[in-house]
Amino acid sequence: TGAQLPPLPLDEPCVVSRYLTNPLLVDGFKFDMRLYVAVTSYEPLRLHLYEEGLARFATEKYHNSRYCLANHYMHLTNYSVNKNNRNFVDNLDADADDYGNKWSLTALKRFLLKRGMPVELVFRRIDDLITKTAISIEPHVLSQLKASMQHRGNCFQLLGFDVIIDDALKPWLLEVNLGPSLAADTPLDYKIKSTMLTDLFTLCAFQPFDKRQESELRRRQTGSERLSRGQPAHARVVEQQQRVAASGAQAGGAHHPSSRVVGPVAPAP
């Protein structure tokens, strides 16, 4: 653009990013996508991409001009930035998911399909981007896990991938959030994030836990073990199995997007 950049600091860490001058636009506005990825294992690598997500829009129409570089509402798609602009339009109806400055991922896909864009190909490339990003940090994460975890199934991680697409339909990674925001400022936020968490808890086999009920069960189990002179009591195991079966049945009856496993794909011709 010909703009002059300030000198880079030489005595402190910094991040240098490539600026994308040809972003794909929706009605003239720049946007990015927040995608939710659950990592349940690094050995083997298991990534689960939630099928729903958010599309976040800038609040000023995009212009690739050096005179507009200081306009954060044009070049940045962060919700935390754009919600302060007077042009920001909130979404107050979760069913109207293509209204305002925050859409659902499903609404964005509908928009792109109507304009004849190869949505399936774009998201195959996004799958590939997510997988390669995870592979790039795999050695470091594995070394940390082996040093602090006795079993690889002891933990999981929810990641927030921020992805932008250029006008050639190539996805670019903006950043990965280790702790993506779960704040629900709007009904659309609540709908997407709550169902995502439901899917995550089911995926990781979380069980409902009542501390009082569990304490009472342990007290009874201890008494039963004493009466049986050391014979193992199976009541707790049976009850846990019943709780897992019940929670699985409830989750199976819910109608909302689920996650899918992602992996490397061959580059598109």
Side-chain angles (χ1 to χ4, degrees):
T1 60
Q4 295 296 319
L5 297 176
L8 294 176
L10 301 178
D11 56 348
E12 61 184 53
C14 62
V15 176
V16 179
S17 300
R18 175 180 175 181
Y19 182 76
L20 198 67
T21 58
N22 60 325
L24 182 67
L25 304 178
V26 169
D27 294 334
F29 292 92
K30 189 176 180 179
F31 71 94
D32 76 347
M33 296 173 290
R34 164 59 59 85
L35 307 174
Y36 298 100
V37 177
V39 186
T40 55
S41 172
Y42 263 96
E43 192 178 21
L45 182 61
R46 289 177 182 161
L47 307 172
H48 304 264
L49 173 63
Y50 188 57
E51 293 280 18
E52 189 59 281
L54 292 166
R56 306 170 302 185
F57 292 84
T59 46
E60 301 280 354
K61 287 197 172 184
Y62 181 77
H63 295 286
N64 184 12
S65 168
R66 59 179 296 184
Y67 301 107
C68 301
L69 289 178
N71 189 342
H72 293 172
Y73 300 131
M74 177 184 297
H75 295 279
L76 300 181
T77 52
N78 308 59
Y79 167 73
S80 59
V81 172
N82 283 284
K83 69 179 181 180
N84 298 315
N85 190 2
R86 62 182 181 180
N87 294 332
F88 182 82
V89 178
D90 225 337
N91 185 310
L92 301 179
D93 183 357
D95 293 327
D97 59 351
D98 59 352
Y99 176 80
N101 286 96
K102 190 183 287 187
W103 292 8
S104 72
L105 193 62
T106 299
L108 177 65
K109 289 180 179 179
R110 288 198 310 264
F111 179 91
L112 299 179
L113 279 172
K114 287 180 180 179
R115 280 148 183 79
M117 298 184 185
V119 172
E120 183 178 351
L121 173 61
V122 172
F123 280 85
R124 281 178 55 209
R125 292 174 177 172
I126 292 175
D127 288 356
D128 201 31
L129 179 151
I130 291 171
T131 304
K132 290 176 179 177
T133 302
I135 290 174
S136 71
I137 62 170
E138 186 175 12
H140 174 72
V141 174
L142 278 178
S143 65
Q144 295 297 315
L145 286 176
K146 290 177 180 178
S148 57
M149 294 291 177
Q150 295 182 354
H151 192 275
R152 65 189 180 194
N154 284 1
C155 61
F156 71 94
Q157 180 72 56
L158 175 66
L159 303 174
F161 276 71
D162 292 344
V163 177
I164 191 170
I165 305 172
D166 66 20
D167 58 10
L169 302 183
K170 177 180 177 180
W172 297 81
L173 180 65
L174 292 176
E175 65 177 354
V176 180
N177 295 270
L178 292 177
S181 171
L182 299 178
D185 295 340
T186 68
L188 181 63
D189 277 315
Y190 183 83
K191 178 181 179 180
I192 291 175
K193 294 177 182 180
S194 63
T195 52
M196 180 272 295
L197 287 174
T198 300
D199 188 71
L200 176 64
F201 293 159
T202 303
L203 177 68
C204 296
F206 276 80
Q207 300 178 25
F209 180 79
D210 186 313
K211 187 175 181 179
R212 290 184 179 180
Q213 184 179 6
E214 192 72 14
S215 298
E216 178 65 19
L217 184 61
R218 288 182 179 179
R219 186 185 65 80
R220 292 179 181 179
Q221 178 185 345
T222 302
S224 176
E225 288 175 345
R226 288 174 179 172
L227 290 174
S228 61
R229 297 181 180 178
Q231 294 298 319
H234 300 288
R236 185 181 178 191
V237 175
V238 172
E239 183 166 336
Q240 285 180 337
Q241 291 174 344
Q242 291 173 345
R243 288 207 305 262
V244 171
S247 62
Q250 292 172 1
H255 297 284
H256 59 77
S258 60
S259 60
R260 57 185 172 82
V261 178
V262 296
V265 297

